[in-house]
Amino acid sequence: MKQKILFILLTSLFTQLYSQVNTIDFQLSLGPTLSVPKTSELTNSNVSGSPEIKSSINIGVFILPSINYFISEKSSIDFGVGYYLDRFSIEDKIGYVTHKGNRNIHQIQTPINFNFHFGNDKSYQFGIGAFAIFTVAAKEKGDSNVDSSRIDFIDPSDPLVYNNISIGYEKDIKDNYNSVSFGTYLQLKKSISFSASKKGFILLKINQYINAIKNNDTDSDLSQYVEFKNEKEPMTVNLGVGLIL
């Protein structure tokens, strides 16, 4: 009798585990990450000339292994841990100096979101979620252009003066970013079939960073002139293709 009860219990347990496994998809997605242009006016500064930071579109890359857990036919949860390289083209104007370069921000991200399934065959998923960011490295490389004609103590008629002096620079800017920060995003997925046995998806995701940039970088040489809290938080767009494993 005890053996029958034990057999029934084990059968029920394995049946339940098997049904749960069938509600989980292991996924791998990758693609480009595109930065969204923004202009930050550094109003809280002692530098004349309307200091500002402009970002323009640049292309990075991401790769994200994740799990898609089906709650019901119309809803699911995504969770993953992935690598993201966000790249931003930057034009940073401070006084008579303009820095033009590229920022490369290497991160580990842990996104999680809730999906609503819709469409005739439920092949579309609209997701709302959030992610934690762990900054691994951040570097900026470019040229500093000095407009010497705006420097009062230099005679612009001096033949030794060049109105546009360009100096290359490369610096580690990891300290400008919080080591751990957060963000929110919207995501749209469309299921597709690569073959009779291989299924996948394409996705579009819009990410808004929160508290990624340090508000007050008191260790910076520029902290006496510019309060970095006026730089807007970045936004990126991910375009990707994924495979259901």
Side-chain angles (χ1 to χ4, degrees):
M1 184 65 179
K2 291 182 179 180
Q3 291 177 343
K4 289 184 178 180
I5 294 175
L6 180 60
F7 176 78
I8 293 172
L9 290 174
L10 289 175
T11 302
S12 301
L13 177 62
F14 283 118
T15 301
Q16 184 177 4
L17 289 174
Y18 180 77
S19 63
Q20 288 180 346
V21 168
N22 281 347
T23 64
I24 294 177
D25 282 338
F26 294 93
Q27 303 178 350
L28 179 65
S29 56
L30 56 87
T33 176
L34 309 176
S35 56
V36 175
K38 287 193 173 184
T39 299
S40 305
E41 295 182 359
L42 306 181
T43 54
N44 294 344
S45 76
N46 298 319
V47 179
S48 60
S50 300
E52 64 181 13
I53 296 177
K54 289 183 178 180
S55 67
S56 54
I57 294 177
N58 211 324
I59 302 175
V61 67
F62 78 94
I63 180 168
L64 176 66
S66 62
I67 292 174
N68 183 239
Y69 177 76
F70 289 86
I71 300 173
S72 68
E73 184 181 357
K74 296 182 179 180
S75 63
S76 64
I77 294 176
D78 284 341
F79 173 77
V81 179
Y83 166 76
Y84 287 73
L85 168 59
D86 285 342
R87 303 185 73 238
F88 303 90
S89 293
I90 295 293
E91 182 178 308
D92 185 352
K93 293 182 178 180
I94 302 178
Y96 52 81
V97 181
T98 300
H99 306 283
K100 291 184 178 180
N102 293 312
R103 291 183 182 178
N104 295 330
I105 317 299
H106 302 262
Q107 314 153 38
I108 300 297
Q109 291 189 13
T110 57
I112 182 170
N113 69 278
F114 183 83
N115 296 306
F116 301 92
H117 298 232
F118 63 98
N120 293 333
D121 53 358
K122 301 296 186 295
S123 62
Y124 288 90
Q125 298 180 30
F126 175 74
I128 301 175
F131 56 95
I133 308 158
F134 303 89
T135 303
V136 177
K139 297 184 182 296
E140 183 173 324
K141 183 178 181 179
D143 295 303
S144 298
N145 299 299
V146 182
D147 186 359
S148 59
S149 65
R150 296 177 56 192
I151 306 176
D152 295 336
F153 57 83
I154 293 181
D155 183 1
S157 64
D158 189 332
L160 296 178
V161 172
Y162 297 90
N163 286 337
N164 290 293
I165 303 172
S166 183
I167 303 171
Y169 71 90
E170 183 174 0
K171 57 184 178 180
D172 189 330
I173 59 171
K174 185 179 178 181
D175 289 340
N176 290 5
Y177 291 82
N178 289 310
S179 56
V180 180
S181 55
F182 302 92
T184 60
Y185 66 92
L186 300 176
Q187 178 176 274
L188 181 64
K189 278 185 180 180
K190 172 64 170 73
S191 299
I192 57 176
S193 296
F194 295 110
S195 67
S197 59
K198 287 293 182 182
K199 294 184 178 181
F201 55 89
I202 54 176
L203 67 84
L204 168 68
K205 187 166 75 168
I206 302 174
N207 311 289
Q208 175 59 59
Y209 288 73
I210 300 172
N211 197 34
I213 301 174
K214 286 184 177 177
N215 287 336
N216 294 297
D217 189 3
T218 56
D219 295 332
S220 171
D221 295 335
L222 300 174
S223 61
Q224 57 182 319
Y225 304 114
V226 177
E227 293 184 11
F228 287 96
K229 68 180 181 180
N230 290 323
E231 182 174 351
K232 293 179 180 178
E233 296 288 345
M235 178 183 289
T236 60
V237 175
N238 299 147
L239 302 172
V241 60
L243 181 66
I244 299 175
L245 305 176

